[in-house]
Amino acid sequence: MTTVDDISHPSRIAGPDEAISAEELQLAARNHGIPLEALRYDVTPAGLHYLLIHYDIPHVDPAAHTLTVDGAVERPLSLDLATLRELPRVTHRVTLECAGNGRALLHPRPVSQPWLVEAVGNAEWTGTPLAPLLREAGLAKDAVDVVFTGADHGIERGVEQDYQRALPVADALREEVLLAYEMNGAPLLPQHGAPLRLIVPGWYGMAHVKWLRNIRVLTEPFEGYQNAVAYRLRQEAGDPGVPVTRIEPRALVRPPGFPDFMSRTRVLRPGPCTVDGRAWSGHAPVTAVEVTFDDGTTWVPATLDEPAGGAWAWRRWHVEWHPTPGRHVLGARATDASGRTQPVEQPWNRGGFANNLVQRVEVVVLAE
């Protein structure tokens, strides 16, 4: 008899010389990153924003969709989209980054969605704050976690499940957490969670549950797969690990010049060049960005533009470069107000999460 274990296998680490598998390529075809030249935009166009879709994009009829709030509450709620749209409306500009961003650059490589550095985007999300709804429902005094359930369903590592993630009550009650129904001023697209999704500023993307249909309050920690098994920082398979939560600081370079088709190596003509990019952190505002043009041997400070879009949006930086002909390796590292700085060498973890290792951009400057 065929079981889910025959088709859904435990996580594993790639062998020393193992190439990207057909399964990983299949995931990469479904889940795209931002083209790095799109770092020029303050707000990422919806079609260029990164995507990670765990299972299928579900078919959800907006006219019939309801959100329920239940569990350890005094007054369970059931709200359709029209009702949610009548509630106070706010817009936040928020940088979202996948927790697995950078996974494919680790050695050895965790086998999963093979992200390089492009799993990010910065969009304007419009909806209604979550906290007033939770207060209206009346949280139990001993409430611990708030569980968010999407309409997407599948099997992962042998576990059949709806996609579910939880937030501690204190985080769910943050005023900036949104029930969002618009992205960049338009209704959510199907792949971005239409008709309703959660936005948790500062947290990695796994917390921003799409196709949201239920919110359940628990009086004990949530032990669902995505909380207790999947998104954990661990060294060994049996290690319970620690949860993945807030986004580690990162800066990305918008690649200068023009690319070689296959290698994506950049080609630049001689002369002064403005090198720029974006930086962000989920812990605290970015306070500094340093740039290297020689693969980390030396670093120079970049100029930070004024913040554009609030505390949860990325920030542009720039620096002037007068390159000499030859090959150069560019990178940038961010520091935030909490004192966190991107590492030059990334500590390894089994899931390939929170890998904010400094990006490497190879540039060939032509001779005069």
Side-chain angles (χ1 to χ4, degrees), residues 21-42:
S21 66
E23 288 89 351
E24 288 173 292
L25 287 175
Q26 183 172 236
L27 286 174
R30 291 182 56 82
N31 303 308
H32 67 76
I34 186 175
L36 291 180
E37 61 270 25
L39 293 172
R40 67 170 62 95
Y41 300 112
D42 285 338

